[in-house]
Amino acid sequence: MRRIAPPLTGTALAVAAAALTAAPAYGASAGGLELSPASVVPGGQVTVRTAACGDGGSATGDAGAVGAGSIGLAPDAHGPGATGRFRVPPSAQPGTYEITVTCAGSGRRITGDLVVTLTPVRGQVHPRGSVKTGVGGALGPDPVQTAAGVAALAVAAAGGTWLLHRRARGDGI
């Protein structure tokens, strides 16, 4: 017996995608690596933050997996931790890339995932409306087509009833 998972609605998928792409890769408050944005197009700029190196700590990052080379992270002026920036090369291919940061004082290594996409998250187009499959859609955008479909079904039902009634009386078809 086959088991089929229930399909998700378009709204649920859109909300899940927005939540995954808007959230940082790892929480900086947990001592992880925060990449902002977590999803970027080739040529886009990414900010790297971490609180794992301590207050006033500096670090060196490696974005070689995506082709950006090394990153220098300096102490963050707006809070604890270190911050740095890099630009994703325009030639980067879509995929998920691991970005690593090594703290200067402790040698601690922190990683985070960067997703490279061809379409910016804000520029994605989500389908709207009904599928154009012909006349008969009960909730279609055109009430004239809906009325024509209902009328065709009524004529077919009346004709079928009339033929069955003739056969029952013995009039022949």
Side-chain angles (χ1 to χ4, degrees), residues 33-79:
L33 189 64
E34 178 185 346
L35 301 172
S36 178
S39 179
V40 67
V41 295
Q45 186 168 342
V46 179
T47 302
V48 181
R49 289 187 185 93
T50 184
C53 297
D55 205 12
S58 61
T60 304
D62 180 20
V66 74
S70 66
I71 314 160
L73 281 82
D76 195 351
H78 302 292

